[in-house]
């Protein structure tokens, strides 16, 4: 067995998320089918995590096992010829046989895009808000996230995880255009629907409907009903996943 990490990106618009679903096309399923065609046998891949339906990935990582070493440059080229236009493989790297795309990841980084004006070229990849937002207040609230580890209030209900603890490494809003803002958040792990729930609650702060102390109370309540509404999926991107160097062959 020889294990490789596959680095890929995808536009999630047409997919029911990353993970194989019983009643909808997923990115994982499409990638596995392409690999199975090339290898002439069933092939399974394991991703660094799940992305929900409609969420995009500038960078997702998955691991795959082959019976023997492969020419990674030819494999990447062949995969991209088989894959649809909305999925692209960037590169492959050989890793130790024990390396795991999900469990060995040291961080994941997401970005959420907001636009305050109508723009036909943003409609699929940014959420348009109609009210003016106080992004300074939203950044003050975002800094509160560093004070906590239990984010039950931002988790989808009835998930199968053993803990709702996450370590936030980065969280903040940045203006990237005249009418466009990006929220970047990085953590060792994320709960189901967590980023969209965090953004939705921060927007409540930006609209003046929630104070800084109120934002703290939302987190401390450990109750999803206390947090804001989840924002739309189409403006969310997984942008990076990190791993220890010791997993990789030179």
């Amino acid at each position: 067995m020889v294990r490789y990490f596959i680095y890929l990106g995808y536009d999630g618009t047409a997919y029911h998320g990353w993970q194989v679903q019983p009643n909808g096309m997923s990115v994982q399923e499409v990638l596995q089918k392409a690999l199975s065609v090339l290898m002439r046998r069933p092939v399974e891949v394991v991703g660094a995590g799940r992305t929900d339906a409609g969420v995009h990935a500038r960078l997702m990582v998955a691991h795959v096992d082959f019976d023997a070493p492969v020419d990674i440059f030819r494999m990447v080229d062949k995969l991209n010829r088989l894959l649809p236009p909305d999925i692209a493989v960037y590169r492959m790297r050989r890793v130790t046989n024990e390396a795991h795309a999900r469990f060995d990841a040291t961080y994941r980084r997401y970005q959420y895009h907001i636009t305050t004006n109508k723009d036909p070229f943003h409609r699929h990849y940014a959420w348009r808000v109609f009210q003016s937002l106080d992004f300074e207040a939203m950044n003050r609230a975002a800094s509160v996230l560093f004070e906590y580890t239990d984010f039950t209030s931002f988790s989808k209900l009835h998930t199968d995880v053993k803990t709702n603890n996450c370590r936030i490494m980065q969280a903040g809003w940045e203006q990237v255009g005249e009418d466009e803002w990006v929220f970047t958040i990085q953590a060792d792990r994320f709960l189901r629907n967590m980023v969209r729930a965090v953004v939705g609650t921060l927007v409540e702060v930006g609209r003046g409907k929630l104070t800084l102390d109120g934002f703290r109370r939302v987190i401390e309540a450990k109750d999803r009903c206390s947090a804001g509404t989840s924002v739309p999926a189409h403006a969310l991107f997984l942008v990076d996943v990190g791993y220890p160097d010791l997993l990789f062959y030179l």
Side-chain angles (χ1 to χ4, degrees):
M1 184 189 76
V2 183
R3 181 162 290 183
Y4 292 88
F5 275 5
I6 301 176
Y7 293 78
L8 66 149
Y10 52 85
D11 180 329
T13 303
Y15 300 99
H16 286 69
W18 160 262
Q19 190 161 332
V20 171
Q21 304 288 328
N23 51 6
M25 185 63 68
S26 71
V27 179
Q28 183 184 26
E29 180 180 353
V30 173
L31 179 60
Q32 288 181 164
K33 285 182 176 178
L35 283 164
S36 298
V37 168
L38 291 176
M39 303 308 296
R40 299 180 181 178
R41 63 170 178 82
V43 176
E44 294 186 1
V45 299
V46 177
R50 300 172 178 176
T51 54
D52 292 335
V55 175
H56 317 290
R58 295 192 188 279
L59 182 70
M60 167 63 87
V61 182
H63 74 246
V64 62
D65 294 330
F66 297 130
D67 297 327
V70 298
D71 184 328
I72 58 176
F73 300 105
R74 289 186 63 191
M75 180 63 71
V76 168
D77 179 62
K78 289 181 177 180
L79 275 173
N80 281 324
R81 291 172 186 267
L82 281 176
L83 290 167
D86 51 9
I87 303 176
V89 172
Y90 303 135
R91 59 176 176 150
M92 293 173 59
R93 293 186 68 183
R94 186 174 174 183
V95 294
T96 64
N97 287 359
E98 296 75 29
H100 197 287
R102 178 183 174 189
F103 297 132
D104 285 329
T106 55
Y107 69 82
R108 286 94 169 161
R109 185 183 305 136
Y110 283 88
Q111 289 184 333
Y112 194 88
H113 294 252
I114 281 181
T115 182
T116 55
N117 280 325
K118 185 177 181 180
D119 186 329
F121 301 105
H122 283 163
R123 71 189 189 281
H124 293 308
Y125 308 107
W127 177 43
R128 184 189 176 194
V129 294
F130 294 88
Q131 306 93 333
S132 60
L133 299 176
D134 185 343
F135 284 96
E136 289 186 7
M138 291 161 68
N139 266 333
R140 289 194 294 271
S143 67
V144 171
L145 294 169
F146 296 104
E147 302 174 14
Y148 298 89
T149 55
D150 188 330
F151 294 103
T152 301
S153 291
F154 301 126
S155 174
K156 189 173 183 178
L157 298 175
H158 311 301
T159 60
D160 56 359
V161 298
K162 296 179 180 180
T163 174
N164 287 333
N165 288 356
C166 309
R167 182 169 62 91
I168 304 295
M169 304 169 182
Q170 180 182 359
W173 293 91
E174 179 184 8
Q175 188 170 8
V176 295
E178 184 178 351
D179 56 6
E180 187 177 3
W181 291 77
V182 174
F183 177 64
T184 302
I185 184 166
Q186 178 176 311
D188 59 344
R189 61 190 294 266
F190 287 93
L191 308 174
R192 291 287 304 278
N193 203 237
M194 177 175 167
V195 179
R196 292 163 60 196
V198 168
V199 173
T201 311
L202 290 173
V203 167
E204 293 293 289
V205 174
R207 288 172 172 162
K209 296 182 177 180
L210 189 66
T211 65
L212 202 60
D213 286 338
F215 186 74
R216 282 194 174 90
R217 287 194 292 272
V218 166
I219 300 173
E220 292 169 359
K222 300 179 184 179
D223 178 3
R224 179 65 185 90
C225 295
S226 68
T229 303
S230 292
V231 289
H234 72 275
L236 180 61
F237 292 76
L238 174 63
V239 297
D240 197 12
V241 186
Y243 296 94
D245 291 337
L246 56 81
L247 298 181
F248 301 93
Y249 281 87
L250 296 177

